């Protein structure tokens, strides 16, 4: 008979998940819902309380608040930060957390029996599943805590009075902990901090440089370091090895390390993603050697897609008292409930389900590795081409493409940094275009920047399938020609930009993944530094705006937000048919046009100011002349109106017009005579800018590549030159020419009568 409380717990969890998932569906569908921001949460607690549905809706709003704000800013772009769907085994893990809270209120004896059974079952299943027999288990939230507690256990075992005297017993023989240079960053520092040891107790062993993998610990050098520490009176305590380094996924020579640890009485601890393959029927001998270690840390939550499931450290030690003193075991039954979510999830999946998930992840790695071999510009880095669960790949410059667009020698300077920038961009683009693939960017000391595909860590959570790998390869094949073309044209872009000096300055920014960086330099004669910088910022901002408005496939930007270069134009990736000279010429021409427009505006401002002063003086003089001509009586409102009615006066005062183009005050006689401001060029008649182009044309395309591309792009780079073969626009037939007042000698009055006669 099922406990009614357990049924109620499961029902409440299902209702909560339904509310959160329904909210996610509404968010995907674009349904408008009332939102709660963090700033609108009331400070005091409400007196009457709220129902569970309202609280869960508030939780959902807080989770997706940033996504909703992004969608409001740009509704055309889909959100890239979606809450991952929780699979059935994930529901079991969430149910385990709810049941743990319920079981914590049971009476102590019943809780003790229950937790003992849960911990025993989970430990037995994990030991058999990962071939680590006769071991105990420690369940911990932080995956580093298991190593900390194991190290404390070794301290208790090697220093007999450590429990009584503490750090004082460490002074005669300082303990030494060895780790590989490929270990997780900060792992050794965290370990020393938790144990209260100085950083001098941490020894980082370099990796191989000549033979073997460059991500494996150098065993010969390790033995030398251990021997030197022993001769110096220090105590070699513990060795941290990798079965799958965090960056490249390589495995240390665990068999040789086991022999070395036996020789010098070191504790061997192993961790890494490759430990998951121990559950497979045909694990490699390199990884199988991890079963001979003294302890190892497993992360089944990542491998199996189980949310909020603890990590597990399996260890072999005979003294339960020391395990209790080190914190590996606990006498509190409530703390043992940490294993409950994993206990439920393992039962739900079963042995076959667990093996199937790990097999699926390793098959995805092999699928991607085989696909990448067909791409010429991609280099792969794997430990074992037949069974490596982690695949590293990076873009490598295609020398044939580079030589076709520019000199390879000119590119070699800073080649490593340039390729690192391009590979970082490649990883970001692939992660954005195929989010289900789970690829990320890693920085390695020897290989540089690489794109990593580690499905053991991501496939179960993201639901990666074979079609996602196919999509990843397709997107990669689309990006490679653009990257090859951009790398090949960087040298030409640099030379063209330097050819337009000093107005255009080329900025050597090797970390920019694009064609290059330039800065327009305005003339700064007679300007102080502050004024020059202000003028530079203004011109660069306007130039960037105009470039972004052009009908082009090239992306122009202001560069990284916290980049070293400011007030520059960053040119992004380009295709192989881009016309680099035309591109650079356009940037220089637009910058010059903006600079001249700014100066014209400044000059016009001065002209207008002087014209206004002159107009005020002439108006004052005209008022005085009018007073002298008409007399004082005509200026009185009532009397002046009567005098003007009885005796009209013909004033000789004429109006004035201010000509902006000439910057002068002119009389309005010609305006009243011809009813138009003739003789001065109108602003609407100014010649068009040289950057104009015909409709439908694409800028910066090299002409002559094909008939289709030529018809699409046209002569964009020479739009300002008149076409030699095209005749000028023919004049209209003789009908409009029969009545031109300026050529027939007709006076303006006769012209006006002729215009009114047909009406």
């Amino acid at each position: 008979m099922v406990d009614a409380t357990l049924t109620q717990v499961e029902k409440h969890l299902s209702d909560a998940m339904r509310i959160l998932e329904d909210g996610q569906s509404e968010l995907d569908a674009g349904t408008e819902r009332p939102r709660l921001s963090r700033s609108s949460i009331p400070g005091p607690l409400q007196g009457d309380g709220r129902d569970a549905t309202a609280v869960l809706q508030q939780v959902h709003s807080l989770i997706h608040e940033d996504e909703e704000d992004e969608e409001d800013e740009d509704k055309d772009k889909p959100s890239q930060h979606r809450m991952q769907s929780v699979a059935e085994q994930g529901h079991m893990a969430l149910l385990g957390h709810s049941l743990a809270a319920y079981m914590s209120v049971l009476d102590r004896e019943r809780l003790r029996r229950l937790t003992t059974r849960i911990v025993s079952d989970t430990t037995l299943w994990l030991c058999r599943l990962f071939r680590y027999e006769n071991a105990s288990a420690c369940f911990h939230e932080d995956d580093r805590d298991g190593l900390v507690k194991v190290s404390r256990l070794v301290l208790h075992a090697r220093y007999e009075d450590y429990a009584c005297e503490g750090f004082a017993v460490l002074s005669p023989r300082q303990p030494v902990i060895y780790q590989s240079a490929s270990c997780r960053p900060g792992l050794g520092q965290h370990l020393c901090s938790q144990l209260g040891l100085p950083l001098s107790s941490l020894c980082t062993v370099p990796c191989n440089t000549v033979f073997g993998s460059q991500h494996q610990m150098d065993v010969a050098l390790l033995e030398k370091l251990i021997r030197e520490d022993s001769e110096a009176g220090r105590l070699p305590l513990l060795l941290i090895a990798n079965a799958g380094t965090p960056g490249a996924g390589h495995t240390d020579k665990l068999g040789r390390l086991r022999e070395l640890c036996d020789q010098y009485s070191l504790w061997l601890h192993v961790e890494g993603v490759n430990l998951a393959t121990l559950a497979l029927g045909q694990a490699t001998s390199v990884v199988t050697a991890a079963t001979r270690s003294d302890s190892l840390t497993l992360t089944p939550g990542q491998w199996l897609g189980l949310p909020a499931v603890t990590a597990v450290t399996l260890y072999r030690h005979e003294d339960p008292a020391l395990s209790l003193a080190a914190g590996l075991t606990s006498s509190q039954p409530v703390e043992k409930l940490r294993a409950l979510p994993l206990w439920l999830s393992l039962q739900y999946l079963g042995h076959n389900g667990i093996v199937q998930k790990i097999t699926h992840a390793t098959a995805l790695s092999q699928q991607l590795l085989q696909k990448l071999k067909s791409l010429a510009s991609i280099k792969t880095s794997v430990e074992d081409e037949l069974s490596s669960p982690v695949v590293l790949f990076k873009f490598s410059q295609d020398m044939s493409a580079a030589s076709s667009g520019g000199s390879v020698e000119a590119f070699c300077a800073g080649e490593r940094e340039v390729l690192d920038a391009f590979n970082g961009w490649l990883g970001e683009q692939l992660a954005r275009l195929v989010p289900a693939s789970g690829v990320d960017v890693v920085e390695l000391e020897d290989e540089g920047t690489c794109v990593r595909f580690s499905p053991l860590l991501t496939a179960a959570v993201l639901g990666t399938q074979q079609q996602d790998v196919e999509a990843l390869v397709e997107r990669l094949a689309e990006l490679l020609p653009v990257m090859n073309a951009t790398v090949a044209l960087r040298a030409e872009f640099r030379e063209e930009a330097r050819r337009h000096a000093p107005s255009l300055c080329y900025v050597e920014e090797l970390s920019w993944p694009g064609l290059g960086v330039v800065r327009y330099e305005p003339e700064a004669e007679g300007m102080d530094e502050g004024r020059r910088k202000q003028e530079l910022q203004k011109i660069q901002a306007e130039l960037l705006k105009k470039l972004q408005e052009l009908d082009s496939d090239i992306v122009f930007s202001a560069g990284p937000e916290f980049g070293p270069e400011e007030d520059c134009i960053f040119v992004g990736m380009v295709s192989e048919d881009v016309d680099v000279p035309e591109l650079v010429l356009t940037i220089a021409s637009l910058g010059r046009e903006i600079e001249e427009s700014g100066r014209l505006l400044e000059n016009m401002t001065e002209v207008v100011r002087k014209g206004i002063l002159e107009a005020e003086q002439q108006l004052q003089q005209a008022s005085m002349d009018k007073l002298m001509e008409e007399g004082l009586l005509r200026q009185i409102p009532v009397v002046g109106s009567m005098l003007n009615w009885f005796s009209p006066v013909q004033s000789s005062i004429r109006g004035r017009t201010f000509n902006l183009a000439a910057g002068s005050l002119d009389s309005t006689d010609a305006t009243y005579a011809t009813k138009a401001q003739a003789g001065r060029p109108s602003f609407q008649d100014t010649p068009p800018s040289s950057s104009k182009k015909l409709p439908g044309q694409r800028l910066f395309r090299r002409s002559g590549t094909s008939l289709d591309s030529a018809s699409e792009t046209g002569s964009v780079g020479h739009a300002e030159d008149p076409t030699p073969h095209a005749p000028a626009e023919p004049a209209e037939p003789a009908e409009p020419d029969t009545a031109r007042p300026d050529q027939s000698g007709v006076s303006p009055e006769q012209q006006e009568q002729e215009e009114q006669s047909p009406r």
Side-chain angles (χ1 to χ4, degrees), residues 35-42 58 61-66 69:
R35 298 184 315 184
L36 297 172
S37 64
R38 295 182 180 92
S39 59
S40 63
I41 297 178
Q58 181 184 12
S61 299
L62 293 175
I63 292 175
H64 299 283
E65 179 183 9
D66 296 336
D69 293 340

Side-chain angles (χ1 to χ4, degrees), residues 6-81:
L6 294 178
T7 305
Q8 188 176 8
V9 169
E10 183 179 2
K11 179 179 180 301
H12 288 168
L13 176 63
S14 300
D15 293 342
M17 294 301 300
R18 178 182 53 79
I19 292 174
L20 293 177
E21 291 174 354
D22 290 346
Q24 176 67 38
S25 301
E26 293 177 3
L27 186 62
D28 294 337
T31 306
E32 294 291 337
R33 297 181 296 102
R35 298 184 315 184
L36 297 172
S37 64
R38 295 182 180 92
S39 59
S40 63
I41 297 178
L45 184 63
Q46 295 184 4
D48 296 336
R50 306 175 64 183
D51 57 8
T53 303
V55 174
L56 289 174
Q57 289 178 351
Q58 181 184 12
V59 171
H60 180 270
S61 299
L62 293 175
I63 292 175
H64 299 283
E65 179 183 9
D66 296 336
E67 299 175 10
E68 294 171 351
D69 293 340
E70 291 176 2
E71 289 182 357
D72 289 342
E73 294 175 1
D74 193 347
K75 296 184 178 180
D76 296 334
K77 294 182 179 180
S79 177
Q80 301 177 12
H81 309 284

Side-chain angles (χ1 to χ4, degrees), residues 452-613:
R452 179 178 62 180
F453 179 67
S454 182
L456 277 174
L457 297 177
T458 59
V461 178
L462 299 176
T464 310
Q465 301 297 328
Q466 293 184 357
Q467 55 266 28
D468 297 319
V469 177
E470 296 286 347
L472 180 67
V473 177
E474 292 176 2
R475 294 294 188 179
L476 180 59
E478 295 173 0
L479 295 175
L480 287 179
V482 178
M483 298 178 68
N484 276 319
T486 305
V487 169
L489 295 174
R490 281 177 68 98
E492 182 181 359
F493 180 79
R494 179 175 62 249
E495 297 302 324
E496 287 293 330
R498 291 175 176 174
R499 191 173 292 118
H500 286 76
S503 61
L504 208 61
C505 175
Y506 178 81
V507 180
E508 191 72 30
E509 183 62 32
L510 300 178
S511 61
W512 170 248
L515 189 61
V517 183
V518 293
R519 179 191 294 115
Y520 183 81
E521 296 287 351
E523 297 183 5
E525 296 181 1
M527 294 185 183
D528 56 3
E529 184 64 24
R531 176 69 184 279
R532 189 196 70 83
K533 187 175 181 180
Q534 183 180 3
E535 186 71 14
L536 178 62
Q537 292 177 350
K538 180 180 178 182
I539 292 179
Q540 298 298 332
E542 186 66 24
L543 176 59
L544 178 61
K545 181 180 178 181
K546 285 184 173 294
L547 290 173
Q548 291 174 344
E549 291 175 353
L550 295 178
D551 186 12
S552 170
D553 297 330
I554 304 175
V555 177
F556 302 93
S557 67
E561 183 176 0
F562 302 102
E565 299 294 339
E566 297 180 353
D567 304 324
C568 296
I569 303 298
F570 288 74
V571 186
M573 296 286 179
V574 298
S575 56
E576 62 180 356
D577 60 346
V578 68
D579 193 340
V580 176
E582 178 191 353
L583 171 62
V584 178
L585 178 62
T586 302
I587 296 176
S589 302
L590 287 178
R592 191 178 307 109
E593 179 182 343
I594 295 172
E595 182 183 6
E596 294 176 354
S597 299
R599 292 183 178 178
L600 177 62
L601 183 59
E602 292 180 358
N603 296 335
M604 186 178 296
T605 302
E606 184 65 20
V607 169
V608 170
R609 187 184 66 81
K610 293 181 179 179
I612 291 175
L613 293 177

Side-chain angles (χ1 to χ4, degrees), residues 73-233:
E73 294 175 1
D74 193 347
K75 296 184 178 180
D76 296 334
K77 294 182 179 180
S79 177
Q80 301 177 12
H81 309 284
R82 290 296 181 188
M83 184 177 178
Q84 298 297 335
S85 59
V86 182
E88 290 296 330
Q89 69 272 10
H91 281 273
M92 294 300 296
L94 297 178
L95 179 61
H97 290 280
S98 300
L99 292 178
Y102 163 70
M103 294 178 183
S104 64
V105 300
L106 297 176
D107 61 89
R108 186 175 183 84
E109 183 62 26
R110 184 179 301 181
L111 179 60
R112 184 188 61 80
R113 294 198 307 267
L114 182 61
T115 54
T116 302
R117 172 64 184 274
I118 292 173
V119 171
S120 300
D121 287 348
T122 309
T123 303
L124 177 63
W125 297 337
L126 291 175
C127 288
R128 291 184 176 178
L129 187 63
F130 295 101
R131 309 182 188 185
Y132 200 78
E133 300 292 342
N134 302 322
S136 302
C138 174
F139 302 90
H140 44 90
E141 302 294 338
D142 191 338
D143 55 2
R144 301 173 299 181
D145 285 349
L147 176 59
V148 172
K149 295 177 180 180
V150 164
S151 302
R152 192 175 289 118
L153 171 65
V154 182
L155 285 174
H156 281 280
R158 299 298 299 272
Y159 296 91
E160 296 182 358
D161 298 331
Y162 181 73
C164 301
E165 300 183 12
F167 69 93
V169 300
L170 307 180
S171 301
R173 298 191 66 187
Q174 180 181 354
V176 182
I177 299 175
Y178 302 90
Q179 69 168 3
S180 171
S182 298
C183 277
R184 284 184 290 173
L187 178 62
Q189 289 79 358
H190 174 78
L191 185 59
C192 291
S193 174
Q194 295 298 314
L195 297 175
L197 297 177
L199 291 180
S200 58
S201 296
L202 180 65
C203 179
T204 301
V205 184
C207 296
N208 295 323
T209 56
V210 180
F211 302 103
S213 169
Q214 295 180 345
H215 302 279
Q216 291 179 344
M217 187 185 304
D218 191 336
V219 181
L221 183 56
L222 172 63
E223 185 176 5
K224 178 182 177 182
L225 293 173
I226 294 175
R227 189 183 306 112
E228 291 177 354
D229 289 333
S230 299
E231 294 174 354

